[in-house]
Amino acid sequence: MANPVLNDKFSEQERVLQGEPMTVNGTLQVTAFLGALLFAAAAFTWSRFTLGYTDLAMTLTGAGLILGFILGLVIAFTRMKALIPVYAVCEGMFLGGVSATFEASMPGIVSQAVAGTFAALFSMLILYRANVIRCTDKFRSVIFITTASIAVVYLVNFIGSFFGLHVPLINSSSTAGIVVTAVIVVIAALNLIIDFDFIERGAQNMLPKDMEWYGAFGLMVTIVWLYLEILRLLAKLQSRR
């Protein structure tokens, strides 16, 4: 879901007085490393589906979802760097299973979702660098409140599903349901602006080197959420054909 881990509270006490500080390039390198772990885990889970080991694949997908959620919360509140690669692997297991399931019923949808995710990522980066979208305090507040609201709705929908109840429009392929999902995609993409700002200002404020992992983790949380929402949007659009 939404990125809950980044904030703009850069204190003087966090600045590096000795040693190497956080850099933008260093954060990108960590992000690439985590992306490689995620891709490898996703490919493995996907391959279990294609080879017919459906039970194993479903187990990996479920384990990835549960462990990834728990680890995400632990990392967000404790900044335990050692758990971040494990989180990337768990997210990969989950995404691999979900993607394989969608691809089986709608061939080609995963490549479209991946392309859409990268398109949104680079579009937000360009808009951020060009100062078209500025990460002001008001912008952060609005995106945070909106993202938190979406998270609550998804949580209610998840709990309700155990009792046969669902939040209207979340799973609907109606025009209104598609519009709602499209809006959520936009909100997820705008969270990238906050991620970029955190990474850039973290480097400017000379935060500790370990904060590169924290910035990369936050960016990965947003990208995973964005990919899943684009996948859901494409699935809804294709179901209307």
Side-chain angles (χ1 to χ4, degrees), residues 125-133:
L125 181 58
I126 292 172
L127 292 174
Y128 174 74
R129 297 303 300 173
N131 285 324
V132 175
I133 301 179

Side-chain angles (χ1 to χ4, degrees), residues 76-214:
F77 290 104
T78 66
R79 297 186 184 181
M80 294 179 64
K81 183 180 75 172
L83 294 179
I84 296 178
V86 182
Y87 167 82
V89 171
C90 291
E91 285 298 288
M93 290 161 52
F94 170 61
L95 290 185
V98 170
S99 299
T101 302
F102 273 91
E103 186 70 16
S105 58
M106 301 178 181
I109 192 173
V110 170
S111 59
Q112 295 174 20
V114 170
T117 302
F118 278 103
L121 175 63
F122 289 116
S123 295
M124 289 299 106
L125 181 58
I126 292 172
L127 292 174
Y128 174 74
R129 297 303 300 173
N131 285 324
V132 175
I133 301 179
R134 303 180 67 87
C135 192
T136 62
D137 290 339
K138 183 176 181 180
F139 177 87
R140 291 191 199 91
S141 297
V142 171
I143 296 301
F144 176 80
I145 293 173
T146 306
T147 300
S149 299
I150 293 171
V152 170
V153 171
Y154 275 137
L155 179 60
V156 170
N157 185 69
F158 176 73
I159 295 175
S161 65
F162 291 101
F163 305 96
L165 303 174
H166 298 280
V167 177
L169 304 180
I170 293 297
N171 301 305
S172 172
S173 296
S174 65
T175 300
I178 290 174
V179 170
V180 168
T181 302
V183 170
I184 295 176
V185 168
V186 172
I187 297 302
L190 290 174
N191 269 270
L192 290 169
I193 299 295
I194 298 177
D195 298 335
F196 298 151
D197 182 71
F198 174 87
I199 293 169
E200 183 174 56
R201 292 195 300 130
Q204 292 173 351
N205 284 272
M206 300 180 67
L207 296 188
K209 188 72 174 176
D210 282 354
M211 291 299 287
E212 292 176 352
W213 288 83
Y214 194 57

